[in-house]
Amino acid sequence: MSLVSALYPALKPWLFKMDAERAHEWTTRMMRITHALGLLKPDELPRCAPIDCLGLRFPNVLGLAAGMDKSASAVEAWAALGFGFVEVGTLTPRPQPGNPKPRLFRLPEHEALINRMGFNNPGIHAAVKRLEKRSTKAVVGVNIGKNFDTPNEKAVDDYLYCLKAAYPVADYIAVNISSPNTKGLRDLQAEESIRQLLAALKNEQAALLSLHGKKVPMLVKIAPDLEGQQIEALARVFNELAVDGVIATNTTISREAVAGHPLEKETGGLSGAPVTERSTLVIQAFRQLLHAQTPIIGVGGILSGADAGEKLKAGASLVQVYSGLVYRGPGLIRHVLEGTLGVR
């Protein structure tokens, strides 16, 4: 067992006494420091075959979901823990502070989080400068969004701006249209809105391929709260426009699974165990509707190797964690990798 995994059970009660966002910031800072000192070693991980997906070679099936490292400040540290890929962001054209605090809440009884962070980030260019200097072999994805004050009719400009800025340094780009914490953002999931947005992005992607001589795949991150007709409409657009991949899913606005909890009425996206089943069902639905060659990255409520295995069985090619890492610690990485051996 690595030093980090061994210490986490002792640190967790202390961290959980802190404000959730402060604990997040402290943990990220300690990750950077311990990595710089050469003390950040992974657990003894199972020998995993690389995964070829999206035209990329992933060292293993498990990634860190967007939201944990919004500023791309600790990519090497996350990779050193054993993640096969790290997704940073969400990043916007201009820096923005996000929503008023407090905006991140733990629901330990449900192994869940509620967040309404609101795309707090240093801006796309600050993250790009950091990624230009990265030395990790892990695949790095850049998750992009629009600024809070950009109206939806001009959202395409923000996404195009971020796509162009991130393209030279990203291994893949994730288009976030599904956060519930930026007013009106999920409206972009409507069929005609998403068709117009993705058509513009696909055209720019083709131009950037010609300019840079490399293709950076572009994925779309969707919500877990989609109903049958919405899923069918999105899948239709993704197939028509040959989207490179789908990330399913973001956080949920449903509170059914945490009804009666004191924090039930806090606005924001709910993540963790309450979204496990719904996320897997959405993956399964999209797998049936998307072209066979369109991969899905499964994320949402993975707290064990079994949870990750269910998402792979449902049709995901890769998986990501976030809330599970908060509750289970770095040891979750080994458990997920062990639990997914032989599932793919």
Side-chain angles (χ1 to χ4, degrees), residues 116-131:
R116 51 171 180 266
M117 304 297 283
F119 291 173
N120 55 308
N121 76 101
I124 187 70
H125 289 293
V128 165
K129 286 181 180 179
R130 289 176 177 149
L131 292 176

Side-chain angles (χ1 to χ4, degrees), residues 68-206:
M68 186 65 81
D69 191 347
K70 290 176 176 289
S71 59
S73 66
V75 171
E76 284 83 0
W78 298 116
L81 278 182
F83 284 108
F85 63 110
V86 178
E87 189 172 313
V88 302
T90 297
L91 292 153
T92 54
R94 290 173 281 112
Q96 59 182 34
N99 293 322
K101 298 178 181 181
R103 55 194 181 181
L104 180 62
F105 308 89
R106 304 184 194 92
L107 291 72
E109 304 90 337
H110 299 281
E111 291 192 293
L113 301 172
I114 292 174
N115 96 80
R116 51 171 180 266
M117 304 297 283
F119 291 173
N120 55 308
N121 76 101
I124 187 70
H125 289 293
V128 165
K129 286 181 180 179
R130 289 176 177 149
L131 292 176
E132 286 173 342
K133 300 172 184 176
R134 78 179 190 266
S135 57
T136 177
K137 293 182 179 178
V139 171
V140 177
V142 178
N143 186 298
I144 62 173
K146 77 176 188 73
N147 280 112
F148 79 99
D149 55 354
T150 300
N152 276 5
E153 55 269 24
K154 293 186 177 180
V156 65
D157 297 333
D158 277 16
Y159 285 98
L160 286 169
Y161 187 94
C162 289
L163 175 64
K164 286 185 277 192
Y167 199 93
V169 299
D171 293 313
Y172 73 84
I173 289 171
V175 179
N176 189 348
I177 53 167
S178 52
S179 169
N181 302 318
T182 295
K183 185 177 179 181
L185 187 74
R186 286 191 171 189
D187 295 342
L188 296 174
Q189 293 179 126
E191 184 170 3
E192 285 312 309
S193 296
I194 191 64
R195 180 178 279 110
Q196 292 175 21
L197 173 63
L198 291 180
L201 289 171
K202 290 295 290 185
N203 285 337
E204 186 61 36
Q205 182 190 33

Side-chain angles (χ1 to χ4, degrees), residues 4-322:
V4 176
S5 291
L7 287 175
Y8 191 76
L11 286 173
K12 182 180 173 183
W14 177 71
L15 289 169
F16 272 49
K17 288 179 182 177
M18 280 190 200
D19 168 76
E21 187 171 352
R22 185 181 168 209
H24 182 171
E25 292 168 352
W26 184 90
T27 302
T28 303
R29 186 165 60 250
M30 288 303 103
M31 288 276 295
R32 291 196 301 268
I33 292 171
T34 53
H35 180 258
L37 294 173
L39 301 175
L40 193 61
K41 306 293 183 184
D43 287 340
E44 187 174 338
L45 301 175
R47 191 179 296 275
C48 299
I51 296 97
D52 293 319
C53 183
L54 295 165
L56 302 167
R57 173 153 285 201
F58 292 77
N60 63 55
V61 72
L62 178 62
L64 181 71
M68 186 65 81
D69 191 347
K70 290 176 176 289
S71 59
S73 66
V75 171
E76 284 83 0
W78 298 116
L81 278 182
F83 284 108
F85 63 110
V86 178
E87 189 172 313
V88 302
T90 297
L91 292 153
T92 54
R94 290 173 281 112
Q96 59 182 34
N99 293 322
K101 298 178 181 181
R103 55 194 181 181
L104 180 62
F105 308 89
R106 304 184 194 92
L107 291 72
E109 304 90 337
H110 299 281
E111 291 192 293
L113 301 172
I114 292 174
N115 96 80
R116 51 171 180 266
M117 304 297 283
F119 291 173
N120 55 308
N121 76 101
I124 187 70
H125 289 293
V128 165
K129 286 181 180 179
R130 289 176 177 149
L131 292 176
E132 286 173 342
K133 300 172 184 176
R134 78 179 190 266
S135 57
T136 177
K137 293 182 179 178
V139 171
V140 177
V142 178
N143 186 298
I144 62 173
K146 77 176 188 73
N147 280 112
F148 79 99
D149 55 354
T150 300
N152 276 5
E153 55 269 24
K154 293 186 177 180
V156 65
D157 297 333
D158 277 16
Y159 285 98
L160 286 169
Y161 187 94
C162 289
L163 175 64
K164 286 185 277 192
Y167 199 93
V169 299
D171 293 313
Y172 73 84
I173 289 171
V175 179
N176 189 348
I177 53 167
S178 52
S179 169
N181 302 318
T182 295
K183 185 177 179 181
L185 187 74
R186 286 191 171 189
D187 295 342
L188 296 174
Q189 293 179 126
E191 184 170 3
E192 285 312 309
S193 296
I194 191 64
R195 180 178 279 110
Q196 292 175 21
L197 173 63
L198 291 180
L201 289 171
K202 290 295 290 185
N203 285 337
E204 186 61 36
Q205 182 190 33
L208 291 166
L209 165 61
S210 178
L211 177 65
H212 294 282
K214 67 168 186 173
K215 181 180 179 181
V216 176
M218 186 171 61
L219 297 85
V220 183
K221 188 165 187 176
I222 57 170
D225 306 306
L226 301 166
E227 299 300 333
Q229 289 186 337
Q230 294 171 302
I231 290 173
E232 290 174 6
L234 281 174
R236 184 163 52 245
V237 173
F238 297 162
N239 287 336
E240 286 174 12
L241 296 177
V243 166
D244 297 311
V246 173
I247 302 175
T249 62
N250 213 316
T251 57
T252 181
I253 56 174
S254 170
R255 294 295 185 267
E256 183 178 353
V258 297
H261 191 279
L263 297 175
E264 172 191 0
K265 298 191 184 301
E266 292 289 352
T267 58
L270 176 70
S271 62
V275 80
T276 306
E277 184 177 354
R278 180 60 191 169
S279 170
T280 303
L281 289 172
V282 172
I283 291 167
Q284 190 173 49
F286 270 97
R287 184 68 283 153
Q288 293 171 353
L289 294 168
L290 292 172
H291 292 321
Q293 69 270 25
T294 306
I296 298 171
I297 298 178
V299 55
I302 294 176
L303 288 104
S304 68
D307 292 337
E310 287 302 311
K311 284 182 167 41
L312 295 176
K313 290 174 187 175
S317 299
L318 302 162
V319 292
Q320 293 176 321
V321 296
Y322 179 155

